Structures are given as structure tokens and as C-alpha cells.
Amino acid sequence: MKTNILLSGLLAIVLSACQYPAYLPPPEMVDVHPYGSHIAIHHKPNRSMEGELIALDSSRMIILDDASNRCLSVPMEDIYSFKIWYATSSGYEWTIPFFIVLPFINGWYSILTMPMHLITTIAVSVDARHAFVYHDRDMDFVKYRMFARFPQGVPDKLDLADIHR
């Protein structure tokens, strides 16, 4: 009984880690969505941060931090790497349990076909999870501006403390 509860809790934690932030739009709404993309950065001194990309220029990146719900400015020279999610993925994780059962229609050959089904569905699910993601090495840095809430920079009269989700 304790094992089932522990497994259920572990499964809930794993599945919740696969969730996208609520402010990310579906792919067909990316060009009209008012918020910026979700970004995860690693920067000096050995820290990580996640949140909404508010703006960036050649000297700094402004992020609405998920943990503190405040806008933080990170100098560009302090950033080691980053990853941007600009839309939610369809998610095909639900197919994994289905395609584990499906090979049983092959009878004894399911011993051979089950691993192939499992490998294929996991590969498709993982690939779909990374469909709308860019890394810092994917394009010129300045082009990442198009994924920010303010692609042309924060307006002069806007105080960063006034920006919320």
C-alpha cells in the first residue's frame, strides 16, 4: 500500500514537471500573444533562473522571475546559456501507455514488437516536447528579441516594478 502511494506521488511529481507555464500560447497564437516567451538561463555566479522574457538588448536581459514575480536584469556577459520556450507543445505522452498495450495483438511476437513501439512513442513524445524550443546556440543573439514581451525594448515611461503577469 505504501509503495502504491509512493509511486502515485512520484508519478504526479514527474507529470507536473512536464507542464508548460500557463502564459505560453498554443502555436497558432504565437504571433498575436501579448506575453513574452518562457526562458531558463544559467548565469554567474552559478545560478539558474526561469521566467518570462520581458526584453533584451546587447547589454542585458530582463526577465520576470517566476520565483519572486519581479523583473530582474541580468548582464549579458554573466549569462552562460539559456533556453526559450515560445509555444506549448501538443504533448504525446498519453500514447506511451496505449502503445505498450497495442503490441499484444501480435501474440507472441509482441515480445519483439513491444520494445519497438515503446522506443518509437518515447522518441516522438520527447521530440514533441522540444518542438517549440530554442537554445542560445541556435541563432544570433539579437534575434531572440522577437520572443520578448517588449521586442523593441522596455518603453521609457514604464517602470519595471509595474510589470506583472
Side-chain angles (χ1 to χ4, degrees), residues 16-146:
S16 67
C18 296
Q19 295 291 325
Y20 289 102
Y23 57 84
L24 279 182
E28 62 273 6
M29 298 292 292
V30 167
D31 55 345
V32 295
H33 192 66
Y35 297 105
S37 300
H38 183 74
I39 187 167
I41 67 168
H42 299 282
H43 61 95
K44 292 179 185 175
N46 201 18
R47 290 191 54 214
S48 296
M49 175 191 308
E50 288 191 34
E52 181 186 344
L53 179 61
I54 299 299
L56 69 92
D57 58 26
S58 60
S59 63
R60 66 182 180 152
M61 182 181 289
I62 300 171
I63 298 172
L64 181 57
D65 185 35
D66 282 346
S68 65
N69 201 24
R70 293 182 315 129
C71 284
L72 302 173
S73 179
V74 180
M76 296 308 292
E77 64 267 9
D78 290 350
I79 297 175
Y80 295 127
S81 64
F82 61 87
K83 190 176 355 177
I84 292 177
W85 292 262
Y86 61 95
T88 57
S89 172
S90 299
Y92 297 104
E93 293 83 12
W94 63 270
T95 62
I96 294 172
F98 176 73
F99 281 99
I100 286 176
V101 176
L102 188 63
F104 287 113
I105 64 173
N106 297 324
W108 286 104
Y109 292 111
S110 65
I111 295 170
L112 299 174
T113 59
M114 185 183 299
M116 291 187 286
H117 281 257
L118 191 60
I119 290 169
T120 303
T121 53
I122 289 173
V124 168
S125 299
V126 169
D127 191 48
R129 179 70 44 195
H130 298 285
F132 302 106
V133 177
Y134 281 116
H135 296 85
D136 55 327
R137 61 186 180 277
D138 290 337
M139 69 174 93
D140 187 26
F141 182 76
V142 178
K143 292 182 180 178
Y144 288 104
R145 262 185 232 198
M146 66 179 148

